[in-house]
Amino acid sequence: MKNPITHTADMDLWGHTFTKQLDLATQNMGHDICERLRIARVRALESRPAPIRLMRYRTALQANGSLTGHGEGLNLWRILASALPLVALVMGLILVQAIQQELTESDIASIDSALLLDDLPPDAYTDPGFLQFLKVQLVQPTRND
């Protein structure tokens, strides 16, 4: 970050250069226009913050600790408090992943147990005629009633 004194000096240099350009451009203008421009420049210079005021402001900020990192800056508790939501999010994602994996394993286990306990061999589920067999099985119990 730039020092306020250097920043003000750079601005002054730019202001002098700009003033010279304006002086060159206003040489061919009438006296009343030049006088109004001169008054506007004087007002602008009066409204410019003085370097002493900037130094007082910077000294006051340093006394409060805002520029040096002391005072209300980040300390260990603030860092831990800001990291807490991130830790909670990561733990939540791990929990969701574990639940999803458990549900998937449970579904696979139920399918495996149904296949093993069923009367049909596992190859029957891949047979194209198995759908027809299921339709026949569903129709036969309704005829018996």
Side-chain angles (χ1 to χ4, degrees):
M1 188 167 146
K2 281 193 167 184
N3 186 340
I5 296 172
T6 306
H7 184 65
T8 304
D10 290 342
M11 287 178 61
D12 284 343
L13 180 63
W14 181 82
H16 289 297
T17 306
F18 191 71
T19 303
K20 287 178 186 177
Q21 294 291 330
L22 285 175
D23 286 340
L24 290 174
T26 59
Q27 286 178 355
N28 296 331
M29 293 185 178
H31 178 68
D32 59 336
I33 296 173
C34 290
E35 190 61 26
R36 282 189 279 168
L37 287 173
R38 188 189 63 77
I39 292 171
R41 285 186 205 147
V42 170
R43 286 184 183 163
L45 288 174
E46 288 174 354
S47 67
R48 182 181 72 138
I52 295 172
R53 279 192 245 150
L54 289 175
M55 287 299 292
R56 286 183 192 161
Y57 178 71
R58 182 172 179 178
T59 307
L61 284 177
Q62 284 180 344
N64 289 336
S66 297
L67 290 178
T68 58
H70 304 295
E72 293 186 25
L74 288 177
N75 57 19
L76 180 63
W77 293 110
R78 288 183 189 261
I79 292 171
L80 290 176
S82 64
L84 186 63
L86 180 64
V87 171
L89 177 68
V90 169
M91 294 300 290
L93 289 173
I94 290 171
L95 180 66
V96 166
Q97 193 266 343
I99 290 172
Q100 287 291 333
Q101 186 172 357
E102 184 178 327
L103 288 174
T104 303
E105 289 172 357
S106 174
D107 289 343
I108 291 172
S110 66
I111 291 171
D112 286 346
S113 65
L115 282 173
L116 292 173
L117 294 176
D118 200 11
D119 293 337
L120 294 174
D123 293 337
Y125 290 100
T126 60
D127 187 19
F130 182 65
L131 183 60
Q132 186 64 28
F133 171 77
L134 286 177
K135 288 181 183 177
V136 170
Q137 291 295 328
L138 290 174
V139 172
Q140 284 179 355
T142 54
R143 288 187 184 168
N144 291 337
D145 289 337

